[in-house]
Amino acid sequence: MSEVQPSAVNRNCLACAFPFWGQLTPAEQEQLCRFTRPVKYRKGERVHSPVENCVGILLLRSGQLRAYLLSEDGRDITLYRLFQGEVCILSASCVMDSVNFDLYIDAEEDTEAYCIGAGVFRQLMQQNVYVRCYAYQMTAERFSDTMWTMQQILFMSADRRLAIFLTDELAKTGGADLHMTHDQIARYMGSAREVVSRLLKYFAGEGLVRLYRGGVEVLDKERLKQIAHGA
Amino acid sequence: MSEVQPSAVNRNCLACAFPFWGQLTPAEQEQLCRFTRPVKYRKGERVHSPVENCVGILLLRSGQLRAYLLSEDGRDITLYRLFQGEVCILSASCVMDSVNFDLYIDAEEDTEAYCIGAGVFRQLMQQNVYVRCYAYQMTAERFSDTMWTMQQILFMSADRRLAIFLTDELAKTGGADLHMTHDQIARYMGSAREVVSRLLKYFAGEGLVRLYRGGVEVLDKERLKQIAHGA
């Protein structure tokens, strides 16, 4: 592979989109340019799991990733989601000595990203303390996200959690409809389908939502927000 | 305060016990020596909470700290414990931008530690990337501990969790007796007292344990280990 001039590097290199680019030496920048590649995941595709090889660090260009825990009997609990412009660090957990737990990451939509492979990223973390610091700081942010989720799951009453979930999902789209089955909602909330179905029927009875096959229409956003806030 | 010679610093300074000491400049070492102080907590004393001022980073010299989540209605869930020689980083969470969740830390036994106050540690993190990296790496380790606990709580059957708890506790002491009430065991496991009492009676009925006021004697360690391993 031929040498790349620094000026050309900055224009053509995918790696310069990563937040730690400015902390790299010219030699590290050049190395990273050669080894950063665009990747695509189809909706539903597995990105990371405890049994597969470590992908590396991803910068999302479009789509959505979902990180979750999975039990032996197949139950899953969503910890957090990542969207365009965000960095997926725990898909590189194999190169971080201090991160050691079984996490799954799936593409929830068709997703495009820039990827720095695990091997190159490991080397970069070892030789550049700023990159190492960035990786662990990102991990700490995911820790905060995860603890928020855990508190919802462990402590909050189910109706409040469902109201928060519906309110948050609609805030993303701006509409009144959520095209998800009860089973999907339950999995996203880390709850049981029976609990979600029961609560949705209760909400429907109260005139808060209308249920139809494959979806939920929110009729009273204000009241739902009040429940979400514990009123 | 009078100037301290570097050679004297190393001999008399409490701060040199912290793992990042070797990464500090002489000026930083000197500053840290002046501001690191020994602290004591009595058994049961609150070390850190979301509403109190941020203590800073602690290096445990003796005793035990317990980090936990607390619900509005008073339920608590133990996330991890820290022992002699370990560093408590999340008592300095206020100085880490990327760490943002409500954690409680109590002294579970009379505890002695060296403390670098939040203000000094904040300054040190800002000016020294190695200290910043250390802080976030420690946070990532606690993340791993926490996720292990969460998986026990969310996914594992209660009898297996109780068996693991009893086995782990006895492994610490080497004995057969655990001097804890059912309520204490439940709190440590993040479970309900009723569940723990029911299971302990079940275990007693099976000849695995003997129950007495204020404690549990394990009669069949091997069988308990088998349950702990899901057999």
Side-chain angles (χ1 to χ4, degrees), chain A residues 50-180:
Chain A
V51 295
E52 273 150 298
N53 280 334
C54 197
V55 168
I57 181 170
L58 298 169
L59 173 64
L60 268 68
R61 307 300 294 166
S62 68
Q64 184 191 150
L65 299 183
R66 180 174 76 98
Y68 59 98
L69 299 177
L70 194 61
S71 73
E72 284 170 20
D73 59 359
R75 279 202 302 145
D76 79 29
I77 293 181
T78 301
L79 299 182
Y80 58 84
R81 290 157 190 278
L82 297 170
F83 300 92
Q84 185 190 338
E86 295 189 294
V87 168
C88 182
I89 187 67
L90 291 181
S91 49
S93 56
C94 62
V95 308
M96 291 189 285
D97 298 335
S98 299
V99 176
N100 186 22
F101 62 90
D102 291 350
L103 186 76
Y104 292 78
I105 303 173
D106 285 0
E108 283 287 286
E109 300 167 9
D110 289 346
T111 298
E112 295 186 319
Y114 296 158
C115 176
I116 303 171
V120 175
F121 193 65
R122 182 197 306 273
Q123 202 184 328
L124 204 61
M125 274 184 69
Q126 280 167 355
Q127 70 196 31
N128 189 318
V129 65
Y130 291 96
V131 175
R132 194 158 70 244
C133 191
Y134 175 83
Y136 281 117
Q137 188 164 351
M138 280 294 103
T139 302
E141 284 195 15
R142 298 293 84 80
F143 189 10
S144 296
D145 293 347
T146 296
M147 293 321 291
W148 187 90
T149 307
M150 285 298 164
Q151 290 195 296
Q152 311 308 307
I153 292 173
L154 294 168
F155 292 143
M156 211 178 271
S157 61
D159 61 335
R160 200 171 152 192
R161 282 169 47 209
L162 179 58
I164 288 174
F165 178 79
L166 294 174
T167 306
D168 285 356
E169 288 297 312
L170 293 185
K172 287 182 198 165
T173 62
D177 278 74
L178 185 66
H179 300 289
M180 290 173 75

Side-chain angles (χ1 to χ4, degrees), chain B residues 112-124:
Chain B
E112 295 186 319
Y114 297 157
C115 175
I116 303 172
V120 175
F121 193 65
R122 182 197 305 273
Q123 202 184 328
L124 204 60

